[in-house]
Amino acid sequence: MDEILKYFPEITETQRERFARMGPLYKEWNEKINVISRRDIDSIYPHHILHSLAIAKFLTPVSGTRFLDLGTGGGFPGIPLAVIFPDCTFHLIDRIGKKVGVARSVAEALGLENITFQHGDVGECHEKFDYVVSRAVMTLDGLVRLARRNISPRGINALPNGLLCLKGGELGDEIRAARRPVVEVPLSDWFSEPYFATKQLIYTKLC
C-alpha cells in the first residue's frame, strides 16, 4: 500500500481505503483460486496494483471515458484503474471463468460500480471503447489485431483512442511486427523500484 501512496499521494480517502483492502482481498482469494503466482502474491502492491496504475501516469481521461480490459485475468489492470478513475467505466473480459469470478468478487467487495464483466473471447464483445488496456496477454501485433475492432470512432480525450498495454523485456521484434507507430515509455521514468527496470508502457493509436 505504501507504494501507491508514494506515487499517488493525491488520492481520496475512499480510494485509499479501496487500495488498502485490495491486497488482502486478492491474498484471500489466491488461497482458493490461483489467479496470481503464489511466489508473487506477497508483492501484489508493486508487481500488480502499482504496475497497473502506470497507465494512470500516462493518461488522465475525461469523465465518461470507456475502457476495455482485454484478458483481465484476476482484474489487472482494470480494477486498480477503476479505483483511480471513478468517473470512467471499465469492461473486463477474460476466457477463464474462475478468474473473471475472482475479479467480480473483488470489485463487489470494494463497492466498485463502474465495472462490468464478461466471461468469453474478445470476439464476443461487440461494444465500442475509447481505449483497450491489457497487461502481458499476448504479442503486440495480436493485441492490435483484436483491439482495433472494439475502438470507438468518437474522440473525447486529448490522446486519440487506441491501445495501452503493459509489457516487459525486449520489445523491438514485437513493435516491428505490429507495423504501427507506437509510443514506448519505460516505467522506470515513473517508478524507482528495481522491478520496473525492464517494464514498459506501449501506446498505439487505433482510430
Side-chain angles (χ1 to χ4, degrees):
M1 179 62 189
D2 290 343
E3 296 92 344
I4 308 303
L5 297 178
K6 176 181 177 181
Y7 295 107
F8 296 90
E10 73 285 356
I11 60 175
T12 67
E13 186 59 34
T14 297
Q15 290 169 324
R16 289 179 184 229
E17 291 174 358
R18 282 172 167 162
F19 282 126
R21 294 180 62 201
M22 193 178 296
L25 281 168
Y26 273 109
K27 288 183 179 181
E28 180 181 338
W29 272 105
N30 217 55
E31 293 177 0
K32 307 171 189 175
I33 298 172
N34 190 22
V35 294
I36 294 170
S37 167
R38 299 195 188 280
R39 295 175 298 174
D40 207 35
I41 190 64
D42 288 335
S43 299
I44 187 167
Y45 277 102
H47 293 185
H48 299 276
I49 300 173
L50 184 61
H51 188 203
S52 298
L53 293 176
I55 290 171
K57 288 294 187 182
F58 183 78
L59 170 69
T60 302
V62 301
S63 177
T65 297
R66 303 190 71 212
F67 289 86
L68 170 65
D69 182 354
L70 193 163
T72 189
F76 301 104
I79 288 179
L81 290 174
V83 173
I84 209 77
F85 297 139
D87 295 329
C88 301
T89 60
F90 294 81
H91 186 64
L92 279 55
I93 188 169
D94 200 277
R95 293 178 176 177
I96 302 176
K98 66 179 182 178
K99 291 187 176 182
V100 174
V102 170
R104 188 192 305 273
S105 295
V106 169
E108 289 176 353
L110 295 175
L112 294 172
E113 298 180 349
N114 58 335
I115 300 184
T116 54
F117 297 88
Q118 183 175 346
H119 171 214
D121 187 272
V122 70
E124 299 168 339
C125 178
H126 306 297
E127 299 177 52
K128 299 294 184 181
F129 303 86
D130 301 295
Y131 300 104
V132 173
V133 296
S134 189
R135 183 173 178 262
V137 170
M138 64 180 69
T139 59
L140 183 60
D141 59 325
L143 281 170
V144 166
R145 185 173 62 255
L146 292 177
R148 64 193 310 172
R149 295 177 295 187
N150 294 97
I151 292 293
S152 170
R154 73 170 186 170
I156 62 173
N157 289 278
L159 184 73
N161 295 358
L163 170 69
L164 291 156
C165 57
L166 297 165
K167 286 184 160 288
E170 173 54 50
L171 300 175
D173 289 344
E174 282 194 38
I175 290 171
R176 284 188 288 272
R179 298 181 179 179
R180 301 187 69 89
V182 304
V183 175
E184 183 178 3
V185 184
L187 299 198
S188 57
D189 284 3
W190 299 314
F191 307 139
S192 61
E193 286 76 5
Y195 174 78
F196 297 104
T198 60
K199 307 296 183 184
Q200 297 169 75
L201 179 148
I202 303 294
Y203 162 75
T204 184
K205 176 182 174 182
L206 293 179
C207 61

